[in-house]
Amino acid sequence: MKKSSLCGVNKCLLDVYNLLPFNNPDGGAWKQGFEISYHGNEWDEQPLEVLLVPHSHNDPGWLKTFENYYQDQTKHILNNMLIKLTEDSRRKMIWAEISYFSKWWNDIDEQKREMVKRLVAAGQLELVTGGWVMADEANSHYFALLDQLIEGHQWMQRHLGVRPSSGWAVDPFGHSPSMAYLLKGAGLSNMVIQRVHYAVKKHFAQQQTLEFLWRQSWDSSPSRDITCHMMPFYSYDVPHTCGPNPAVCCQFDFHRLPGGRAMCPWKKSPQPITEQNVQERALLLLDQYRQKSLLFRSHVLLVPLGDDFRFVEASEWDAQFSNYQKLFDYFDQHPELHVKARFGTLSDYFQALHHRLNATRTALPTLGGDFFTYADRDDHYWSGYFTSRPFYKRLDRTLEATLRATEILFSLTLAEMRRFRGDGRLVSDFPAREHFQRLTAGRQSLALFQHHDAVTGTARDPVVVDYGTRLLHSILNLRQVLQSSAHWLLLLDKSQYYHDQSKPFMQMDDVISAHDTLPLKTTLVLNDEPRSLIIFNPTEQLRSSVISVVVDSPDANVVDAATGQSMTAQISAVWAQPNQASTEQFQLNFVAELPPLSLVVYHVTKAPFGSAHRARYTFYRRGNPPAVQSEHFQVSRQEGPEADGPLLLSNKHIRIWSSPETGLLQKLRLQSGPVREVRVQFLWYGTRRNQDKSGAYLFLPGEEGAQLYSSSEPPLVRVSRGPVFSDITSCFRHFTHTVRLYHLDGHAGRSLEISNTVDIRSEFNRELVMRLVTDVTSGNCFYSDLNGFQMQQRRTLQKLPLQANFYPMTSAAFLQDVASRVSLLSAQSQAVASLRPGELEVVLDRRLQQDDNRGLGQGVTDNKLTASLYHLLLEDRRGGAEEVGGASFEHLSLLAHLTSLSLNHLPITMVAPSNTQVPKLRSYLPLHSSLPCDVHLLNLRTLEDSQEADSPSQEVALLLHRKGFDCSSAPEPQLQCTWSAQEEVDLDRLFSPLRFRSVRRSGLTLLREDDQPESARLPAPPHIARLRPMEISAFRVEVA
């Protein structure tokens, strides 16, 4: 596809950034805006229509835990909502967080549930967005964003029989078009956003483009556009929603009436509305409404009424509703004012808006791009939370990968059981219902953590502990489902299946002992009897993977259980200290060939002495050669002239040169090309001295900028070489950094694995950064991903402060010029920047002693020993890139997509017991071949039974994502998988020999009413489906 204008729309955010001066002049009453004036006759032809939308923003955890907020505030808000909305049919309310709403629903009786249904049916109560939470849009991965929407929408459909039509995201700290795409795909047609850079808001207000059609940058068709309303002012609270002057608007927040706890900081309090003051009050409020309406293209005005945890007490409901009703009645009695005002929901607003736009034939502009990085005032950019609490950002992705793997294996297990029995029923002693409940709890834990104070790292310490505990428990519970499912699938004689919760047949090969510790490998005790290792490949691709387990012997042998073939293996040391190898534990690494979605059985035995390939080690330390303890391994120390030459490692595809002093990468060469500069550096950022400082949300670096990391003593550098992998490890005081090359054929050997273990608990107001310095002539452009779903061009602008040029990176970033591209793929979210041409840096951890005045009331000092994992890819480019899947839009290459897939979905290793009575296990290979390399199996999610709650149904949600990819860099050697230029695919051939009894395309959240009608259902093969590049497709299927 050929390239068109940068976004293919009439307004592109990159162009807006180029245009704006970012000079922040004082706008008067509307400090970040401008004076608004009018004559008064603008509404004579078309009266102003005002919809006041009551809302209460309930964070599922922030200053208190989810549970404590619910008990202290949320349940009272919802209890009062039932009473107060029922009292007067003109009253309305919107609610967003299904996590809270579902918890409350479980607490109330049938009579109250019927009242809820009546209020919903009458349009008095509207559930908006319908997500489990109001999700963060910077750090969240698109799997989790969609999963929390599915969880919420399925709950709404099951319990209330309704679906959301409008999105409401007033508190996430910046907004992503990936979310807009998911909402539209889930059947929503409108959305509201709030936290956008104040200079962008002002520009949009001046242009009257605060309402627009948001289009994906890769999309040329309007069919996936969604109507978006951007709130114009500083906040979603009452002082900043009625109009441009907060001192006036605060007087119409009747929760702040004199005598209560809440006050107006502008020193003018609200007054109860009486017959004596109603005229003066109504005209004062109308003036604000009129000014605000002039920022929009229609005469329909959205005015939210609410704030965090509002409407707890009955008295607040009465104060707000009765005083506003008096004002509305006054407007009604005075038609010469040309205003109609009423309480409304978001649906009411957008219905009125579209009606008015159609009547006046007014078109909204289309817009492409995203709304990062957010600043709410001055140079206070919210780029700190892209990295805050990185330990939990990594745990989030561990749970996500575990959940997806478990969903797929569980769904396959149920299908195989039904086939095995032949009557469509499940095996009686398999705990399908309990496992389904564990899956549901796992979905809900992952969903809860997508909240914009959870994965962001912006909650109080005890709340972080609560989230972490939930994440860990879910991982452990899902592992039970995984083990139990694998157990049944692998048994040759299915009658030997048993389920014993206290003694599971299989164990994982590692233990996570607490929510704030890294996993530890368990040691396998070897003897002459083979130990069975079961490896699950959760990806849809055949892959060569290196499997690492810890054993108690330096001599071990691995064979494929099915063929008896010996696997390439190496024994490496387990380093108790950087220079001291364990004498009890050894790392056994072997190359496994794993078919897609397979469970493969390997046998490990103790081998004759000296028969296993052992890694060889070389140690370096400038000026102070280390004493090394390692009785089982060959170790040499480099001294003299050799020690000054660069450290060299290579495999069939890549050669690297590293510094002998630091062990850090300096140069890289693809076997086909010239030597390229790719240097790794570590740096510190401090924070400002005399004014506002960095905290959980904000990144406010000191004027000195980044300072190169230096340590008083030189690092210990350890080089290992072996037949499976070779690596260089640098042990610094605050981090251990390893760069590893795998000796693998195919694409797995094409990238460089980079891993860090970081510990900055000794530091004070510092942030640690890893920077790549390359010779790519990238100018001021680089690319980072949005939610792992799409790439977004970024431009580093000198007119912006340093912290403004940092962006979220969920899973990928790259630099490129005409000849080459350097991609950094990551297994966790963090901040990324390219401050100079050819440079790319990621923030690894931040420790900040103070609050940054955004309401949290604490710094970030609960740092942990934190791991981060990357793959670095250098690719040649051939000029004139053709794109598959978008206008002028850059995608990852197919090689980068596959590398990212394997990085985010590691093989899962399980261990069978060591006794001789182990029943016969047979590898499970559900697919004949890999899916096409541009088709990703996003999920295979068993749906809840519509008759029996908390039980699995025969229906499964099949979610496929067809990736857009860049064709300018075709890897050598060619990839093993295929891709097709055709959009039509045969699902039966794709998943052969699995069979689908029925296939119905549905919406992204699998709501019944989004299913294709019966006539379009595909009952018999072939099941042909259209998968467009970049699109996610959802099908309701029965796996036969």
Side-chain angles (χ1 to χ4, degrees), residues 817-985:
D817 56 24
V818 288
S820 61
R821 176 186 285 188
V822 171
S823 305
L824 186 66
L825 307 164
S826 102
Q828 63 288 312
S829 300
Q830 62 265 294
V832 65
S834 172
L835 300 178
R836 281 184 289 276
E839 291 187 4
L840 196 65
E841 65 187 65
V842 287
V843 185
L844 300 177
D845 200 359
R846 43 203 323 259
R847 184 173 177 84
L848 301 156
Q849 265 52 37
Q850 61 285 312
D851 183 45
D852 51 7
N853 300 307
R854 293 304 183 278
L856 182 61
Q858 64 159 76
V860 183
T861 54
D862 57 350
N863 306 71
K864 323 276 178 229
L865 183 65
T866 298
S868 55
L869 183 63
Y870 305 91
H871 274 234
L872 180 67
L873 204 52
L874 171 64
E875 296 174 284
D876 293 327
R877 300 183 80 220
R878 298 187 297 275
E882 276 191 48
E883 302 299 325
V884 174
S888 163
F889 188 78
E890 296 289 354
H891 298 281
L892 292 176
S893 65
L894 272 181
L895 176 60
H897 278 307
L898 292 171
T899 306
S900 181
L901 179 73
S902 46
L903 178 65
N904 281 285
H905 301 284
L906 302 169
I908 293 169
T909 304
M910 292 169 274
V911 188
S914 52
N915 58 26
T916 45
Q917 282 79 51
V918 175
K920 187 102 176 79
L921 303 179
R922 182 173 60 189
S923 293
Y924 171 66
L925 312 172
L927 302 185
H928 280 329
S929 60
S930 295
L931 264 56
C933 27
D934 57 337
V935 176
H936 172 46
L937 174 62
L938 187 58
N939 209 346
L940 196 62
R941 182 189 212 260
T942 295
L943 295 167
E944 187 179 16
D945 192 290
S946 55
Q947 261 66 57
E948 195 183 345
D950 304 325
S951 296
S953 74
Q954 298 204 15
E955 294 184 323
V956 176
L958 168 65
L959 291 155
L960 297 174
H961 179 203
R962 186 159 193 178
K963 310 264 185 169
F965 60 92
D966 173 277
C967 296
S968 65
S969 52
E972 300 291 331
Q974 288 292 310
L975 296 171
Q976 289 176 306
C977 56
T978 60
W979 66 276
S980 150
Q982 302 301 314
E983 291 185 354
E984 310 268 302
V985 299

Side-chain angles (χ1 to χ4, degrees), residues 719-857:
V719 181
S720 92
R721 291 182 172 87
V724 174
F725 64 79
S726 302
D727 60 20
I728 301 172
T729 298
S730 307
C731 305
F732 290 87
R733 185 183 152 205
H734 297 95
F735 58 92
T736 302
H737 169 80
T738 301
V739 58
R740 177 174 292 182
L741 274 181
Y742 290 102
H743 302 294
L744 296 170
D745 299 334
H747 72 263
R750 281 288 316 273
S751 59
L752 204 55
E753 183 183 274
I754 295 175
S755 56
N756 300 306
T757 312
V758 172
D759 187 352
I760 60 167
R761 285 176 286 192
S762 60
E763 297 310 290
F764 185 92
N765 274 335
R766 285 181 116 179
E767 314 199 21
L768 185 66
V769 166
M770 179 175 77
R771 181 183 286 173
L772 301 175
V773 182
T774 75
D775 53 13
V776 176
T777 53
S778 54
N780 74 332
C781 265
F782 76 106
Y783 295 80
S784 62
D785 73 318
L786 287 164
N787 317 100
F789 178 65
Q790 57 187 322
M791 299 305 295
Q792 174 67 50
Q793 188 188 124
R794 306 294 184 194
R795 292 185 195 148
T796 301
L797 300 174
Q798 295 310 310
K799 64 185 171 186
L800 292 175
L802 180 136
Q803 63 271 22
N805 287 302
F806 279 77
Y807 290 94
M809 166 180 164
T810 311
S811 63
F814 63 78
L815 302 166
Q816 66 182 15
D817 56 24
V818 288
S820 61
R821 176 186 285 188
V822 171
S823 305
L824 186 66
L825 307 164
S826 102
Q828 63 288 312
S829 300
Q830 62 265 294
V832 65
S834 172
L835 300 178
R836 281 184 289 276
E839 291 187 4
L840 196 65
E841 65 187 65
V842 287
V843 185
L844 300 177
D845 200 359
R846 43 203 323 259
R847 184 173 177 84
L848 301 156
Q849 265 52 37
Q850 61 285 312
D851 183 45
D852 51 7
N853 300 307
R854 293 304 183 278
L856 182 61

